[in-house]
Amino acid sequence: MIKGIITPTITVFDEDKNIDFEATEEHIENLIEAGVNGILFLGSIGEFFAMTLAEKKKLISFAVKTVNKRVPVLVGTGGTAAEDVIELSNFAQAEGVDGAAVITPYFFQFNQQTLYNYYSHIAHNVELDLYIYNFPARSGVNIDPQTVYKLASEYKNIVGIKDTMNTISHTRELIQKVKKELEKEFAVYSGFDEYFLPNLLNGGDGLIGGLSNIAPELFAEFYKSYQKKDFKKINEISNKINMMMEIYSLSDPFFPAIKKAVSLRGSNLNAACKEPVGLLNESQSKNIKIILKKVKLI
């Protein structure tokens, strides 16, 4: 089980919107050197929804080779067509990834039985460790803890969940219902950075949060401080994370702001995003810079 901070990494593109593998490698090295506990490729911040299957496969192969087992590698393989999810998950397993994060199917707001059917079908056809990805604000549907418990009980390869909910209550319910009652290990991660500490205090396993792209060393230090019970340092870093949360609100969607913040910290990357998302304006960039200065990151 991966514990601590897993970075859902940005995908770096060049000016022609092709994957910039050189800059991607630089970013991967920065994350690992800073001390993150794992990396998730092709998550929401990774713009999985805007990439072709061929692009995803190229990135997965590159990621596994570049990380080279230094930290666990997870990949987002979710989508609306279950057979595509199965194909990409099996490809990822063959390449050597450690697990696949599968978002709840979107567009139709499926009921719990249909969600169960979806994950059951995938788990039947994939041997790789699977992590349910719950993000109702984007998918339009919330998976119930009872449904998660049923799936995790019946399928040995359903081993965790990323719970991107703007409340700790749902995550706490998952920890109490699923994690504590199952007869196997089951990982529960929060998806919002400000819930890193509440997740751990409630018995969860950590965070898959986007701000760690910007300051991976800060989040790595936070987790180490938690393990050492250094509450003064925990409080200091928590205050910085809370201030950084404003970055998410500076662009809609939020990932251009994350990319811009990474570049402002000196990374050699183009902050371009896949179509139809454009670059940030001068005011947005200025506000991101203000936040980074406030928390002493630049």
Side-chain angles (χ1 to χ4, degrees):
M1 183 188 293
I2 313 166
K3 291 180 177 289
I5 174 66
I6 301 170
T7 299
T9 183
I10 55 175
T11 303
V12 188
F13 300 107
D14 60 25
E15 291 182 357
D16 296 321
K17 309 301 174 71
N18 298 312
I19 298 172
D20 184 336
F21 290 104
E22 185 176 343
T24 296
E25 182 175 1
E26 178 189 311
H27 188 60
I28 291 170
E29 293 300 330
N30 288 341
L31 294 176
I32 295 173
E33 185 178 342
V36 302
N37 304 106
I39 304 176
L40 167 67
F41 295 85
L42 296 171
S44 299
I45 283 177
E47 299 173 68
F48 78 93
F49 52 87
M51 297 171 67
T52 66
L53 192 60
E55 286 178 311
K56 291 177 182 180
K57 288 182 175 180
K58 283 183 182 178
L59 181 58
I60 289 169
S61 300
F62 179 81
V64 171
K65 181 180 177 181
T66 304
V67 174
N68 194 26
K69 301 186 182 301
R70 288 176 289 171
V71 296
V73 170
L74 305 180
V75 296
T77 59
T80 53
E83 301 312 315
D84 287 345
V85 177
I86 291 166
E87 178 185 343
L88 191 59
S89 298
N90 286 331
F91 173 84
Q93 180 180 13
E95 290 298 295
V97 307
D98 297 286
V102 181
I103 195 165
T104 51
Y106 37 92
F107 189 72
F108 282 107
Q109 295 181 352
F110 290 133
N111 61 28
Q112 296 301 307
Q113 181 60 51
T114 307
L115 291 177
Y116 170 83
N117 295 343
Y118 176 82
Y119 283 108
S120 176
H121 178 60
I122 293 167
H124 263 303
N125 290 280
V126 174
E127 293 181 1
L128 185 65
D129 282 351
L130 299 174
Y131 296 81
I132 296 168
Y133 180 10
N134 189 43
F135 197 175
R138 293 293 177 265
S139 67
V141 63
N142 178 38
I143 190 164
D144 189 84
Q146 183 60 44
T147 306
V148 176
Y149 179 80
K150 184 179 180 183
L151 286 163
S153 298
E154 295 178 10
Y155 298 98
K156 64 179 182 179
N157 59 334
I158 295 182
V159 299
I161 184 168
K162 177 187 178 183
D163 196 37
T164 308
M165 293 279 284
N166 197 16
T167 169
I168 195 62
S169 298
H170 188 266
T171 309
R172 174 187 49 75
E173 199 175 341
L174 282 165
I175 292 167
Q176 290 175 330
K177 175 63 187 174
V178 187
K179 189 173 178 64
K180 293 184 178 179
E181 293 185 21
L182 272 180
E183 295 182 1
K184 69 174 187 181
E185 285 192 330
F186 186 85
V188 177
Y189 307 107
S190 287
F192 282 114
D193 308 76
E194 61 189 320
Y195 295 136
F196 194 2
L197 181 59
N199 176 288
L200 295 171
L201 291 173
N202 278 281
D205 299 286
L207 173 73
I208 304 179
L211 294 179
S212 61
N213 281 282
I214 304 166
E217 72 284 0
L218 190 69
F219 283 85
E221 185 181 8
F222 182 97
Y223 187 56
K224 289 174 184 174
S225 299
Y226 177 82
Q227 290 174 307
K228 292 187 292 186
K229 295 183 169 51
D230 184 349
F231 295 107
K232 182 179 179 181
K233 179 61 70 172
I234 288 169
N235 183 60
E236 176 189 321
I237 299 175
S238 289
N239 288 333
K240 288 185 177 183
I241 292 172
N242 290 340
M243 285 189 279
M244 289 173 66
M245 286 299 295
E246 188 182 345
I247 292 173
Y248 282 112
S249 65
L250 293 179
S251 69
D252 186 15
F254 51 81
F255 50 83
I258 300 293
K259 283 188 170 180
K260 186 63 179 179
V262 174
S263 69
L264 286 170
R265 288 209 69 202
S267 176
N268 182 32
L269 66 85
N270 184 340
C273 299
K274 277 284 196 180
E275 298 294 348
V277 180
L279 294 173
L280 302 186
N281 59 40
E282 190 175 326
S283 175
Q284 289 170 308
S285 299
K286 181 181 177 182
N287 286 331
I288 293 170
K289 192 177 290 187
I290 290 171
I291 294 169
L292 294 180
K293 285 181 177 179
K294 195 183 298 183
V295 296
K296 296 181 171 55
L297 288 176
I298 58 172

